């Protein structure tokens, strides 16, 4: 299921959902050779654009998302709900628990 929206800013995730945008792989080698688009692999690295407020578990405890807007994260190769934007961009909604790892700049 795809939906065409104007921009990612119009999407407000609910509960423990996290809106991310995949980071594009380099289309040029270090020596300057341009790679065809079909040869550029999708990276499992993404930037967090928006985060839901969390949810309340069965025991009444508030469970907050582990990531925040601006974080770099590793996401699964498959899964999530893809959303097409008007400018041919794509963003993906994941549950917080589906995100594999947070990338720290060191």
């Amino acid at each position: 299921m795809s939906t065409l929206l104007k921009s990612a800013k119009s999407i407000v995730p609910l509960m423990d959902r996290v809106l991310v945008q995949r980071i594009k792989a380099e289309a040029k080698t270090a020596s300057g050779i341009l790679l065809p688009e079909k040869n550029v692999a999708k990276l499992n690295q993404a930037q967090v654009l928006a985060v839901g407020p969390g949810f309340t578990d069965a025991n009444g405890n508030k469970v907050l998302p582990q990531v925040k807007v601006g974080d770099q994260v590793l996401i699964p190769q498959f899964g999530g709900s893809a959303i097409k934007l008007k400018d041919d961009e794509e963003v993906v909604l994941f549950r917080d628990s589906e995100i594999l790892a947070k990338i720290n700049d060191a």
Side-chain angles (χ1 to χ4, degrees):
M1 178 179 134
S2 289
T3 305
L4 190 62
L5 296 172
K6 290 183 180 181
S7 74
K9 291 181 181 180
S10 63
I11 302 169
V12 179
L14 301 176
M15 296 180 63
D16 65 335
R17 303 297 198 289
V18 178
L19 183 69
V20 301
Q21 184 170 29
R22 286 185 190 270
I23 295 175
K24 295 186 190 288
E26 291 293 323
K28 190 189 300 188
T29 64
S31 61
I33 298 171
L34 294 175
L35 300 172
E37 187 174 316
K38 67 179 182 176
N39 291 350
V40 177
K42 279 189 173 180
L43 293 178
N44 286 6
Q45 192 172 345
Q47 172 105 17
V48 176
L49 301 177
V51 179
F55 68 100
T56 305
D57 68 8
N59 297 326
N61 300 319
K62 182 77 172 178
V63 179
L64 299 175
Q66 299 294 308
V67 296
K68 62 183 184 309
V69 174
D71 284 347
Q72 299 275 328
V73 295
L74 291 178
I75 55 175
Q77 184 70 30
F78 301 103
S81 298
I83 302 168
K84 298 270 187 197
L85 301 177
K86 194 171 186 175
D87 53 0
D88 285 338
E89 291 290 320
E90 183 178 271
V91 293
V92 186
L93 264 175
F94 284 99
R95 286 189 179 275
D96 183 55
S97 60
E98 294 175 330
I99 293 177
L100 304 174
K102 191 162 124 175
I103 301 170
N104 292 328
D105 292 330

